């Protein structure tokens, strides 16, 4: 081939001699700038409301910097210690130095952290810090005089858990495990285990609620999609009603319905189905959480399924029957497969909301209807153990991401129709 | 033709959706075995409704439909064994083409090897042998249409219904598909009930055409009869082009009538669908049946016309005249020496036979 086209050898050139690529880029630049400007506001929104908080949560869940900054000398002396002999004068001197140098809030915050490693640290530090000004060397004697517990080597040994700037301790706590003083992972005492049960219950409740929602939502969505417009609209208003009433109103309504002397129990007893002493416990327990969450989350299932069903023309069902399938078979083989994107979206949506739910369980769950979300809220608001709360939050996030990943593998995320 | 040759019979069928108005008014129609019958009519005339009643998706409000002489009003759609091509094809989007075709065989519990064999045969018939693994979304309109036809035939139904199957295709493809469907009909000896509102499609494909209007069959006849001998003004007007005069019958001579039209001229016409003297009538005359400059006395109707507009169409010249006060009188003049003399603004004699001018009902 002697007359190969020139374009094969060199770069393509436009009429005015500039390489084609370059002039193409130039012409694209303006539209690129416009695109960037258009996405800037939502991007900023995303950064400030999602990416930064989530990043913050991730760092907080492993962060152990503060204590290392407040007690640098102490940890140095600790590293030099053989962990067997009595704590030496130098070690007490180091603690003295650190306590003297630190501000009151720093001491307060880090003592709270130290208390997670070994209960008792907080009061120990608090009492000692109060007397630090009047202390004279030798410090060992002075410390022991101020607080006899300084003789307990366990306090010293527990420093080993905190000596690194990063810790997995919060994650371990979140699944009922902890470090021993040599940083081995061990189970917490049987009577202090709480979280594993809660995780398990949370998953259980989320699955039950998701399935219950699916079961209830599917026929309702089908009606919504097939009934004449006027009736369907009315039904849609009923479906969306939960969005319009306040959470508290709804929960009071459920209380009236479900409590021991509530409408449901009274009706069942009056109808002779239940005897008076066997009234069902449907409130302030596991059942209460499941029932009320199902009702609250139902619209999240109905809407995506409905919006998918709405797009399925009735001619498919007709065609299937015309080809010889009974109405039931036509529904299963032809209609249902086409609703899978809606089912998938609805299930994922409900499951994700359910797994992090805490207000409803708090109000109607009683003791055995509490979920992991309640623990996160508790550690955020009451105990102020933000590290643990962040670790739990991160685990929830990971569960959700794994779910998405599985969904993507099985159905394909681009197949999901949220509405 | 004896009754036994009828595959489908509609007997006194009426249909109302809302209980207030009849969408189909007293339909009586027989479809013979092997026939290609087309329901033709304007939008909203009840064609789809008839098809849906036959397929079993709409109950008849009154009357009975017979399939193979069995009443089928109470037979559910899936037991009727009627093939159907839907207007939007209704190919199942979550199944491949082959799975779509296998579906009717599967629900009939046919075993796998036979199923595959039949699916392949059906695909070959519509020249889509290599497309079995595609999804419907990956097909062009014409291909999807063929798959729909193949699917309606794969389980060997005697009767196939098609509701405007070519409506979504462009003109060339539509014409090609018309021939393909026609060939399949002939090769397989099928009975087809076909719905369209495209009259040329109806004329090319059908053995018989049932012209629907307002829930009533206006006429049901083979294409040539429908064109040559329309029985009422609606059919004359709906199928092909025609010139119309409205007038009053003045004289009834048995086979012919004399009709006086608005400006007191009298036209001799064939008596087809009029009462007696004094009734009003629509005269219908095909543009190609009009002669320019006829020999005096050769035809009973000769009037002078003013040529308003000439359009050259190759094989003929389409000419618009003003005749008897109507300025929309169309004449198709064959492309011969005659037109050389005719120019716009000329006044010439034009004439036609009584035989070609049909005196019909006075509707609209
Ligand atoms: N499901 C229905 N409910 C109520 N009215 C209907 C229904 N289907 C059709 N109609 C009415 O019945 C009449 C006939 O409808 P049909 O669909 O049979 O017309 P068609 O001849 O098929 O028209 P087109 O050529 O537009 O398809 C119309 O007036 C229509 O509004
Ligand atoms: Mg129709």
């Amino acid at each position: 081939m002697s007359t190969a086209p020139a374009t094969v050898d060199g770069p393509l050139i436009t009429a005015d001699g500039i390489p084609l690529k370059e002039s193409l880029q130039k012409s694209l630049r303006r539209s690129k700038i416009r695109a960037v400007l258009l996405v800037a506001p939502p991007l900023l929104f995303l950064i400030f409301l999602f990416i930064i908080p989530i990043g913050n949560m991730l760092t907080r869940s492993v962060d152990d910097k503060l204590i290392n900054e407040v007690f640098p000398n102490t940890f140095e002396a600790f590293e030099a210690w053989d962990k067997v002999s009595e704590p030496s004068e130098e070690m007490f001197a180091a603690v003295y130095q650190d306590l003297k140098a630190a501000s009151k809030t720093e001491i307060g915050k880090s003592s709270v952290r130290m208390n997670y490693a070994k209960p008792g640290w907080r009061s120990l530090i608090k009492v000692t810090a109060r007397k630090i000004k009047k202390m004279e060397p030798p410090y060992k004697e002075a410390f022991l005089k101020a607080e006899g517990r300084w003789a307990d080597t366990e306090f010293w040994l527990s420093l080993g858990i905190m000596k690194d700037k990063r810790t997995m301790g919060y994650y371990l706590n979140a699944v009922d495990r902890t470090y021993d003083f040599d940083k081995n992972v061990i189970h917490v005492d049987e009577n202090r285990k709480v979280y594993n049960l809660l995780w398990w219950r949370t998953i259980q409740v989320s699955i039950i609620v998701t399935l219950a929602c699916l079961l209830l939502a599917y026929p309702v969505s089908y009606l919504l999609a097939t009934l004449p417009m006027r009736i369907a609209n009315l039904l849609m208003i009923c479906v969306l009603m939960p969005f319009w009433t306040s959470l508290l109103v709804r929960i009071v309504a459920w209380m009236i319905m479900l409590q021991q002397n509530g409408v449901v129990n009274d009706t069942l007893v009056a109808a002779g189905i239940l005897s008076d002493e066997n009234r069902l416990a449907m409130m302030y327990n596991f059942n209460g959480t499941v029932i009320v969450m199902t009702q609250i989350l139902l619209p999240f299932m109905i809407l995506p399924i409905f919006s998918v069903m709405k797009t399925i023309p009735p001619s498919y069902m007709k065609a299937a029957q015309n080809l010889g399938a009974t109405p039931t078979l036509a529904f299963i083989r032809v209609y249902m497969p086409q609703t899978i994107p809606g089912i998938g979206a609805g299930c994922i949506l409900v499951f994700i909301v359910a797994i992090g739910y805490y207000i409803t369980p708090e109000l109607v769950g009683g003791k055995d209807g509490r979920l992991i979300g309640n623990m996160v809220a508790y550690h955020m608001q009451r105990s102020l153990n933000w590290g643990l709360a962040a670790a739990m939050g991160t685990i929830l996030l990971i569960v959700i991401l794994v779910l998405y990943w599985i969904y993507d593998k099985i159905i394909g995320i681009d197949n999901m129709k949220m509405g | 033709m004896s009754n036994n040759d009828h595959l489908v019979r509609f007997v006194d069928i009426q249909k109302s959706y809302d209980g207030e108005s009849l969408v189909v008014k007293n339909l009586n129609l027989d479809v013979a075995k092997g026939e290609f019958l087309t329901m033709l009519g304007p939008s909203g005339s009840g064609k789809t409704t008839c098809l849906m009643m036959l397929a079993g998706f709409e109950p008849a409000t009154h009357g009975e439909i017979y399939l193979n002489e069995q009443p089928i009003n109470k037979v559910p759609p899936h037991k009727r064994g009627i093939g159907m091509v839907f207007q939007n094809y209704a190919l199942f989007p979550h199944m491949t083409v082959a799975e779509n075709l296998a579906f009717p065989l599967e629900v009939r519990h046919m075993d796998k090897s036979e199923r595959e064999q039949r699916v392949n045969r059906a695909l070959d018939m519509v020249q889509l042998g290599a497309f079995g693994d595609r999804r419907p979304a990956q097909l062009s309109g014409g291909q999807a249409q063929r798959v729909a036809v193949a699917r309606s035939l794969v389980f060997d139904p005697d009767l196939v219904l098609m509701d405007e199957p070519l409506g979504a295709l462009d003109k060339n493809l539509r014409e090609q598909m018309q021939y393909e469907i026609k060939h399949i009909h002939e090769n397989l000896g099928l009975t087809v009930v076909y719905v369209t509102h495209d009259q040329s499609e109806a004329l090319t494909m059908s053995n018989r055409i049932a012209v629907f209007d307002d829930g009533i069959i206006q006429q049901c006849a083979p294409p040539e009869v429908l064109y040559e001998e329309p029985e009422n003004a609606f059919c004359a007007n709906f199928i092909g082009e025609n010139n119309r005069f409205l007038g009053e019958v003045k004289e009834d001579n048995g086979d012919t009538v004399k009709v006086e039209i608005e400006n007191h001229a009298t036209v001799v016409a064939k008596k087809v669908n009029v009462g007696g003297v004094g009734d009003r009538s629509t005269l219908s005359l095909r543009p190609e049946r009009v002669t320019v400059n006829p020999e005096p006395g050769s035809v009973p109707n000769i009037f002078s016309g003013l040529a308003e507009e000439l359009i050259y169409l190759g094989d003929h010249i389409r000419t618009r005249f003003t005749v008897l006060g109507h300025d929309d009188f169309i004449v198709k003049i064959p492309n011969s020496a005659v037109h050389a003399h005719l120019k716009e603004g000329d006044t010439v004699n034009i004439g036609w036979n009584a035989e070609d001018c049909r005196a019909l009902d006075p509707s609209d």
Side-chain angles (χ1 to χ4, degrees):
Chain A
M1 290 276 181
S2 55
T3 53
T7 50
V8 174
D9 306 309
L12 282 170
I13 307 263
T14 52
D16 48 2
I18 306 167
L20 187 56
K21 257 196 188 141
E22 206 172 284
S23 50
L24 181 67
Q25 251 157 26
K26 210 187 234 165
S27 66
L28 286 181
R29 196 164 303 145
R30 188 189 290 260
S31 62
K32 263 188 200 154
I33 290 172
R34 194 165 39 211
V36 167
L37 285 178
L38 270 175
V39 296
L43 195 67
L44 286 178
F45 183 84
L46 209 66
I47 289 174
F48 280 105
L49 282 154
F50 288 95
I51 298 176
I52 293 180
I54 286 175
N56 192 289
M57 178 176 80
L58 290 178
T59 38
R60 232 176 236 283
S61 67
V62 293
D63 181 40
D64 221 0
K65 226 166 31 220
L66 176 76
I67 180 139
N68 283 280
E69 278 162 6
V70 178
F71 290 94
N73 299 305
T74 310
F75 281 103
E76 210 169 289
F78 169 78
E79 294 288 1
W81 182 42
D82 61 5
K83 275 69 166 189
V84 187
S85 55
E86 291 267 307
S88 62
E89 168 65 17
E90 289 84 60
M91 289 161 72
F92 283 102
V95 180
Y96 173 80
Q97 259 181 13
D98 289 339
L99 281 179
K100 188 112 197 213
S103 73
K104 212 168 173 184
T105 39
E106 278 175 335
I107 291 173
K109 276 189 181 167
S110 37
S111 71
V112 168
R113 160 69 185 103
M114 293 161 90
N115 217 49
Y116 301 147
K118 173 157 174 57
W121 259 121
R122 199 165 158 222
S123 58
L124 184 59
I125 293 282
K126 209 169 158 190
V127 171
T128 315
R130 222 167 29 224
K131 299 178 179 169
I132 204 85
K133 281 210 181 100
K134 293 180 191 139
M135 283 191 185
E136 304 270 329
Y139 293 111
K140 183 165 179 177
E141 243 166 72
F143 269 63
L144 285 173
K145 209 173 125 225
E147 252 290 2
R149 279 185 288 163
W150 279 110
D152 187 349
T153 42
E154 282 210 359
F155 282 107
W156 288 97
L157 286 169
S158 72
L159 287 175
I161 300 175
M162 301 174 278
K163 66 177 195 285
D164 300 315
K165 287 195 172 138
R166 304 243 170 280
T167 178
M168 289 303 283
Y170 294 123
Y171 285 96
L172 293 176
N173 286 355
V175 292
D176 284 340
R177 283 171 181 75
T178 186
Y179 287 126
D180 67 5
F181 296 150
D182 296 325
K183 267 206 133 172
N184 299 317
V185 176
I186 53 166
H187 288 267
V188 300
D189 291 341
E190 207 56 47
N191 56 359
R192 295 185 57 203
K193 284 192 174 175
V194 273
Y195 300 120
N196 276 353
L197 178 73
L198 282 178
W199 282 111
W200 174 231
R201 188 191 291 153
T202 305
I203 301 274
Q204 238 179 333
V205 167
S206 303
I207 291 176
I208 295 174
V209 167
T210 306
L211 291 181
C213 280
L214 179 59
L215 232 56
L216 294 173
Y218 205 82
V220 174
S221 312
Y222 185 73
L223 283 181
L224 275 173
T226 48
L227 281 178
M229 197 60 142
R230 206 168 40 84
I231 307 173
N233 279 344
L234 207 68
L235 194 60
M236 188 54 124
I237 290 174
C238 298
V239 166
L240 293 178
M241 199 74 93
F243 284 150
W244 303 341
T245 37
S246 109
L247 185 76
L248 287 172
V249 172
R250 263 182 288 164
I251 284 172
V252 168
W254 277 116
M255 287 175 177
I256 294 167
M257 291 294 289
L258 298 179
Q259 60 183 278
Q260 294 275 308
N261 294 314
V263 177
V264 175
N265 269 320
D266 282 351
T267 313
L268 288 175
V269 169
I273 297 167
L274 278 180
S275 64
D276 202 24
E277 56 277 10
N278 285 336
R279 283 169 176 265
L280 298 172
M282 292 179 292
M283 202 69 181
Y284 308 120
N285 58 13
F286 189 83
N287 299 341
T289 301
V290 169
I291 293 173
V292 179
M293 274 175 73
T294 302
Q295 190 250 343
I296 289 174
L297 297 182
L298 198 55
F300 290 105
M301 187 69 91
I302 292 178
L303 290 178
I305 295 182
F306 162 72
S307 76
V308 168
M309 284 180 169
K310 194 80 191 158
T311 63
I312 303 176
S315 59
Y316 289 125
M317 279 290 279
K318 283 189 183 157
Q321 290 178 61
N322 174 259
L323 293 169
T326 60
T328 322
L329 191 62
F331 191 80
I332 295 170
R333 287 286 313 275
V334 172
Y335 195 85
M336 269 176 30
Q338 295 187 59
T339 60
I340 283 176
I343 294 178
C347 285
I348 287 248
L349 211 59
V350 169
F351 193 88
I352 288 172
V353 180
I355 207 171
Y357 229 59
Y358 81 99
I359 304 174
T360 312
E362 187 73 43
L363 293 171
V364 301
K367 198 165 135 293
D368 56 348
R370 294 257 163 81
L371 306 181
I372 205 73
N374 300 95
M375 274 300 155
V376 177
Y378 169 77
H379 286 303
M380 289 292 297
Q381 296 163 352
R382 305 280 179 75
S383 82
L384 300 184
N385 188 352
W386 285 20
L388 184 52
M392 289 175 167
T394 308
I395 293 176
L396 278 174
L397 186 66
I398 291 169
V399 170
I400 289 167
L401 290 179
V402 167
L403 269 177
Y404 265 116
W405 180 78
I406 294 172
Y407 185 91
D408 188 34
K409 283 281 152 228
I410 298 174
I411 303 176
I413 223 81
D414 44 353
N415 242 334
M416 173 145 48
K417 292 220 177 90
M418 284 295 184
Chain B
M1 215 180 263
S2 85
N3 251 357
N4 292 342
D5 292 335
H6 288 146
L7 188 62
V8 179
R9 290 204 293 135
F10 291 89
V11 178
D12 297 336
I13 292 293
Q14 294 183 327
K15 172 71 186 175
S16 170
Y17 284 106
D18 50 11
E20 283 168 16
S21 59
L22 283 174
V23 169
V24 175
K25 301 166 187 161
N26 204 31
L27 174 79
N28 283 288
L29 178 65
D30 299 341
V31 183
K33 282 198 176 112
E35 191 174 27
F36 195 118
L37 181 117
T38 298
M39 295 177 173
L40 174 69
S43 190
S45 55
K47 308 179 297 287
T48 299
T49 304
C50 287
L51 223 54
M52 285 298 156
M53 286 192 286
L54 183 49
F57 297 117
E58 288 291 346
T61 312
H62 173 82
E64 186 71 71
I65 303 174
Y66 295 88
L67 182 66
N68 272 323
E69 297 305 316
Q70 300 299 316
I72 55 167
N73 279 13
K74 295 202 173 62
V75 180
H78 65 274
K79 291 205 178 125
R80 295 197 180 188
I82 298 175
M84 180 151 185
V85 180
F86 289 79
Q87 177 157 23
N88 60 1
Y89 314 141
L91 298 175
F92 308 138
H94 58 292
M95 298 184 188
T96 63
V97 166
E99 284 165 348
N100 262 286
L101 263 64
F103 184 81
L105 308 178
E106 233 170 277
V107 300
R108 286 174 171 75
H109 307 293
M110 193 173 282
D111 65 48
K112 195 156 186 258
S113 57
E114 168 145 29
R115 224 156 61 198
E116 278 172 7
Q117 200 184 328
R118 285 218 192 188
V119 167
N120 288 335
R121 202 175 347 133
L123 279 177
D124 287 340
M125 180 179 70
V126 291
Q127 293 124 45
L128 286 177
F131 289 71
D133 294 330
R134 295 253 191 121
R135 300 256 162 183
Q138 298 166 323
L139 300 175
S140 73
Q143 290 163 346
Q145 209 281 331
R146 281 170 217 219
V147 174
V149 170
R151 190 179 66 176
S152 73
L153 297 174
V154 72
F155 58 100
D156 286 344
D158 297 330
L159 175 64
V160 180
L161 315 181
M162 302 191 183
D163 190 358
E164 300 192 33
L166 308 180
L169 304 182
D170 67 49
K171 191 166 169 293
N172 283 338
L173 200 52
R174 197 157 64 214
E175 277 166 11
Q176 187 191 340
M177 287 306 301
Q178 285 170 8
Y179 286 110
E180 284 186 26
I181 290 176
K182 190 74 191 135
H183 286 152
I184 289 172
H185 162 248
E186 277 160 10
N187 294 341
L188 301 185
L190 288 170
T191 309
V192 178
V193 177
Y194 192 95
V195 166
T196 182
H197 54 228
D198 177 343
Q199 50 143 318
S200 74
E201 189 167 301
L203 291 172
T204 41
M205 299 180 81
S206 325
N207 299 130
R208 261 192 321 152
I209 301 172
V211 180
F212 274 65
D213 185 42
D214 197 22
I216 293 172
I217 295 188
Q218 303 288 341
Q219 188 174 358
C220 183
E224 62 277 10
V225 175
L226 207 56
Y227 185 82
E228 306 285 349
E229 300 163 22
E231 271 168 14
N232 54 40
F234 178 82
C235 290
N237 202 29
F238 193 71
I239 305 224
E241 222 176 349
N242 81 123
N243 296 306
R244 297 197 297 169
F245 298 104
L246 209 59
E248 193 186 313
V249 179
K250 286 290 179 205
E251 201 181 312
D252 187 348
N253 300 327
D255 278 352
T256 59
V257 284
K258 281 196 173 151
V259 177
E260 184 186 284
I261 55 181
E262 288 102 63
N263 54 357
H264 308 297
T266 305
V267 176
V268 184
K270 181 174 175 173
K271 183 182 178 190
V272 180
N273 189 6
V274 279
V277 174
D279 285 353
R280 293 189 64 73
S281 170
T282 307
L283 300 180
S284 161
L285 176 63
R286 298 285 182 204
E288 66 272 19
R289 295 297 167 89
V290 181
T291 336
V292 178
N293 285 328
E295 293 282 317
S298 65
V299 290
N301 301 303
I302 298 184
F303 302 97
S304 82
L306 170 68
E308 301 274 6
E309 194 178 350
L310 280 80
I311 299 171
Y312 181 78
L313 288 170
D315 58 337
H316 71 268
I317 291 86
R318 201 182 141 85
T319 314
R320 185 164 64 81
F321 284 97
T322 299
V323 175
L324 300 174
H326 291 251
D327 68 351
D328 56 355
F329 191 91
I330 303 292
V331 179
K332 288 182 184 168
I333 306 172
N335 189 352
S336 62
V338 181
H339 86 275
H341 311 299
L342 194 63
K343 295 190 300 295
E344 278 173 26
D346 285 357
T347 302
V348 289
N349 273 345
I350 52 178
W352 58 87
N353 244 314
E355 195 60 14
D356 293 326
C357 182
R358 299 170 69 80
L360 304 171
D361 55 298
S363 82
D364 70 80

